[in-house]
Amino acid sequence: MSLKEHLYELRYRLGLAMLVISLGAIFGFIWFQVRLGPIPSLGDILTGPYCQPDLEKYRAKITNNGECALLQTEPFEIFLVQLQVGAAAGAVLLSPLWLYQIWAFITPGLYQKERKFARVFVGAGALLFVAGAVLAYLVVPEGLKVLLGFGGDNWVTALTGSKYINFVITMLFIFGVSFLLPLVVVMLNRAGVLSYERLAKWRRGLMMGLFVFAAIATPGTDPISMVVLALALSVLFEMAIQISRVHDKRKAKLRVAEGWDALDDDEAAPFNYVASDAEGNDPGEKAIAADPPKRVNYDDAT
């Protein structure tokens, strides 16, 4: 394809992606107040941690038709919150559709092996982000108990809808993104940037850094959210380190089997490179198998 055709293709894919995101925003805006069968409305899901019975003694008795409710202090505040949350929820729910448009634009330039690794890392990243967001949702009520209980009996809390929703969404986002950090470590190890030996040497410093990061990143600054995030990241980082250990061990065995470590400085590596095609097939593979490479002494080469 020419550059002009690439730009047309990019415009087409971005247009479809924006259309999908717009439809998702409309769906999320409606879902904010409407139940979908057994699935509660998006508003009920977000206010669930705040409206738990354990927090009744900390919050003001603000109700809507007898149900726990948040406070609106500005005109159109709830409309803007519903629009913001609905757009975010719709983009997340329909992410496979608009991410496919980006993938369809990028994938023609990737080899089969690169496509395989991209699918694995994108799938793992999506699962880790969801796991982090779910953990944050479970931690929010415990964090609110600590934050709302500082004033004792002298204070009562009446949270506005915008500030509470921003707090919850920030928690979900920070936990989700933080869970991607161990995946970055695995990717750097696969790329040869970080070795297991170096990660093992830095283990104590990394664990300390995780606790410092959790203390800074958590928006509520409550100890429960900080400790839960730090412990979860520590477990994930240890898993990433062990995955790196297995990968480096296999890589070392492969080097020994191919004779890379037994070469002298004046010997050529036993390697004949033939570029693979777009499908990942190696046209020179059979030729190399039939005529294996020979070691060459540079002193005898002309």
Side-chain angles (χ1 to χ4, degrees), residues 9 28 70 77 93 109 112 122 141 163 191 242 253 255 260:
E9 175 71 9
L70 294 167
E77 179 181 358
L93 290 176
Q112 186 66 28
V122 169
K163 292 186 177 180
Q242 296 305 317
K253 288 183 178 180
R255 289 179 62 89
W260 288 79

Side-chain angles (χ1 to χ4, degrees), residues 48-302:
Y50 177 71
C51 293
Q52 287 193 0
D54 294 343
L55 294 177
E56 286 184 356
K57 61 180 179 179
Y58 301 119
R59 64 173 185 261
K61 306 300 181 181
I62 299 177
T63 60
N64 183 13
N65 296 326
E67 299 292 334
C68 169
L70 294 167
L71 186 65
Q72 179 178 215
T73 59
E74 299 177 3
F76 302 109
E77 179 181 358
I78 186 60
F79 173 80
L80 295 177
V81 170
Q82 183 174 345
L83 183 63
Q84 174 188 0
V85 175
V92 171
L93 290 176
L94 298 185
S95 58
L97 297 179
W98 60 264
L99 284 175
Y100 171 77
Q101 302 304 323
I102 300 176
W103 175 256
F105 177 76
I106 296 175
T107 189
L110 300 178
Y111 292 114
Q112 186 66 28
K113 186 177 181 180
E114 294 171 335
R115 298 177 191 176
K116 176 183 176 181
F117 278 114
R119 292 191 190 100
V120 171
F121 282 114
V122 169
L127 292 177
L128 287 172
F129 186 90
V130 172
V134 171
L135 179 62
Y137 185 81
L138 298 176
V139 170
V140 165
E142 303 301 324
L144 286 176
K145 289 180 185 178
V146 176
L147 296 175
L148 302 184
F150 280 125
D153 297 332
N154 299 323
W155 295 82
V156 65
T157 301
L159 295 179
T160 61
S162 59
K163 292 186 177 180
Y164 169 76
I165 296 298
N166 287 335
F167 169 75
V168 174
I169 291 180
T170 302
M171 283 282 290
L172 299 179
F173 180 77
I174 288 177
F175 270 66
V177 172
S178 299
F179 271 44
L180 299 179
L181 295 178
L183 182 63
V184 175
V185 172
V186 175
M187 293 175 64
L188 293 176
N189 175 257
R190 292 277 178 175
V193 178
L194 280 177
S195 64
Y196 165 73
E197 182 179 357
R198 185 173 299 179
L199 289 172
K201 183 179 180 180
W202 293 349
R203 180 184 275 110
R204 293 183 180 180
L206 287 173
M207 295 304 175
M208 182 63 187
L210 292 177
F211 276 85
V212 175
F213 169 79
I216 298 174
T218 48
T221 66
D222 61 284
I224 295 179
S225 301
M226 180 196 74
V227 172
V228 171
L229 179 59
L231 291 178
L233 288 180
S234 298
V235 173
L236 290 174
F237 260 88
E238 184 60 31
M239 293 175 60
I241 292 174
Q242 296 305 317
I243 292 174
S244 301
R245 181 181 67 85
V246 173
H247 174 260
D248 286 1
K249 188 176 180 180
R250 291 178 178 175
K251 187 176 180 181
K253 288 183 178 180
L254 183 61
R255 289 179 62 89
V256 172
E258 293 183 350
W260 288 79
D261 295 330
L263 293 175
D264 295 330
D265 293 338
D266 58 351
E267 287 184 306
F271 179 70
N272 282 349
Y273 177 75
V274 180
S276 58
D277 58 21
E279 299 300 326
N281 301 316
D282 191 345
E285 199 172 58
K286 294 182 179 179
I288 294 175
D291 185 17
K294 300 179 177 60
R295 295 182 179 178
V296 178
N297 193 316
Y298 285 112
D299 294 336
D300 299 333
T302 59

